[in-house]
């Protein structure tokens, strides 16, 4: 499969980008091709302006050139994997804005469904699984991100993996890289 691997992190030596690299290497070893969409490095503008606002009376609205380029990048791949840090129990605004603008009415939902039947999210979490479970952040993220975005857009094979303990380990960062590699080889 051709996988579009979407990341958003401000620091090149982040654990998030190391996890993305580990996932990509394992997926490639498993026969997949990887195209990286590093939204930070590319300077993607996450603000949804009028040209990209859905028109509920026109599902065939032509969106901005920047959004059409992103749609084409998705369409030349077969699957999507988003690897991102958990910020405020969700994804970074940059990645959320990519979805706001690109996963648009008439293309990802409405008259049509998202072009891929498989999309995964790997969320790198600073805190522990226990801290998430205590307040239900894990369930909240699953409802919002996996059901509310991936499921809403008609994607059949969805997965949200929260990789815990990036900061508060043990077991810590090495465990996250091991998990990212395992997920790449399972894809
Ligand atoms: C703005 C901001 C918000 C964050 N919010 C959370 C959070 O809600 N839950 C959490 O587990 N970690 C949170 N973190 C920690 C990141 O998830 C952590 O930086 C990341 O998992 C791993 O490291 P990396 O930044 O080197 O990739 C936050 C970090 C930042 C910068």
């Amino acid at each position: 499969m051709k996988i579009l691997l979407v990341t958003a992190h401000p620091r090149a030596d982040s654990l998030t980008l190391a996890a993305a690299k580990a996932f990509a290497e394992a997926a490639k070893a498993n026969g997949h091709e990887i195209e990286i969409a590093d939204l930070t490095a590319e300077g993607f503008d996450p603000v949804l302006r009028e040209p990209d606002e859905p028109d509920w009376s026109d599902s065939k609205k032509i969106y901005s050139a920047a959004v059409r380029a992103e749609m084409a990048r998705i369409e030349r791949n077969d699957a999507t994997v988003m690897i991102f840090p958990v910020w405020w129990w969700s994804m970074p605004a940059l990645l959320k804005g990519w979805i706001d603008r690109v996963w648009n009415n008439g293309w990802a939902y409405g008259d049509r469904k998202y072009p891929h039947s498989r999309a995964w999210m790997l969320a790198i979490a600073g805190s522990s699984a226990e801290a998430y479970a205590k307040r239900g952040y894990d369930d909240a993220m699953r409802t919002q991100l996996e059901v509310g975005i991936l499921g809403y857009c008609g994607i059949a094979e969805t997965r949200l993996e929260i990789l815990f303990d990036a900061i508060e380990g043990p077991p810590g960062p090495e465990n996250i890289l091991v998990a990212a590699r395992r997920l790449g080889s399972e894809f």
Side-chain angles (χ1 to χ4, degrees), residues 9 11 14-16 86-89 124-127 132 166-167:
H9 196 288
R11 199 163 26 82
S14 63
L15 183 57
T16 299
V86 177
W87 284 1
W88 292 109
W89 323 110
I124 315 299
S127 305
Y132 274 67
I167 298 171

Side-chain angles (χ1 to χ4, degrees), residues 118-129:
R118 189 185 298 182
W120 287 10
M121 292 177 172
L122 274 61
I124 315 299
S127 305
S128 65

Side-chain angles (χ1 to χ4, degrees), residues 6-34:
V6 187
T7 66
H9 196 288
R11 199 163 26 82
D13 67 351
S14 63
L15 183 57
T16 299
L17 294 191
K21 189 163 173 265
F23 179 95
E25 283 170 0
K28 275 193 229 166
N30 201 21
H32 299 294
E33 287 177 36
I34 301 279

Side-chain angles (χ1 to χ4, degrees), residues 44-45 47 49-53 61-76 98 101-102 104 107:
F44 181 78
D45 176 4
V47 179
R49 296 187 171 80
E50 198 174 337
D52 296 320
E53 189 186 12
K61 173 169 174 168
I62 307 293
Y63 299 108
S64 67
V67 160
R68 284 185 277 124
E70 293 297 324
M71 289 171 169
R73 175 154 71 168
I74 292 166
E75 285 168 355
R76 67 174 177 252
W98 183 75
R101 290 185 67 197
V102 181
N104 218 320
W107 184 83

